[in-house]
Amino acid sequence: MFGGKNEKTKFDLWIGAINLFNCLLFIASWFAIFGASFTTRMAMFYYLFAWAGVIINAIAVVQAYNLKISMIGPILGVVGNALYGFTAVLALPAVIINIISAFFIFMQHDNKKKA
């Protein structure tokens, strides 16, 4: 069942897409923050997606560990989304880390330590 050479979780495509979608949201938040119509409700919308990204990527870390595949992408996804989740000031590093995370998730491969 798990003997494939290039093993991936079922959700790698979705997790990578969510990280890229969050990048777009984080970039859009800059325009909303600097615009005149920024409200607390709008801020909570962006933070909700950031923390949802943290949770989804944390689940992906556990799945990658259990399947003994590379955990770099999901770990970077947790870090990137958490950066924005703590403060929107860190939106630029969050966007960069999420793009790198999505790349690693899409290029998922077996862990070298696999016995």
Side-chain angles (χ1 to χ4, degrees), residues 63-75:
Q63 286 181 342
Y65 178 79
N66 289 337
L67 293 174
K68 296 187 180 16
I69 56 178
S70 176
M71 296 185 298
I72 295 171
I75 289 173

Side-chain angles (χ1 to χ4, degrees), residues 91-106:
L92 181 60
V95 167
I96 293 168
I97 291 173
N98 272 350
I99 290 171
I100 296 169
S101 165
F103 172 77
F104 278 110
I105 289 171
F106 288 140

Side-chain angles (χ1 to χ4, degrees), residues 24-85:
L24 295 175
L25 279 179
F26 299 163
I27 291 169
S29 74
W30 290 333
F31 297 106
I33 289 170
F34 294 122
S37 65
F38 189 68
T39 63
T40 303
R41 187 178 297 171
M42 192 178 279
M44 294 318 264
F45 171 77
Y46 292 117
Y47 287 131
L48 173 74
F49 273 94
W51 287 111
V54 169
I55 293 167
I56 290 168
N57 280 288
I59 293 168
V61 169
V62 173
Q63 286 181 342
Y65 178 79
N66 289 337
L67 293 174
K68 296 187 180 16
I69 56 178
S70 176
M71 296 185 298
I72 295 171
I75 289 173
L76 288 173
V78 169
V79 171
N81 286 301
L83 282 175
Y84 188 90

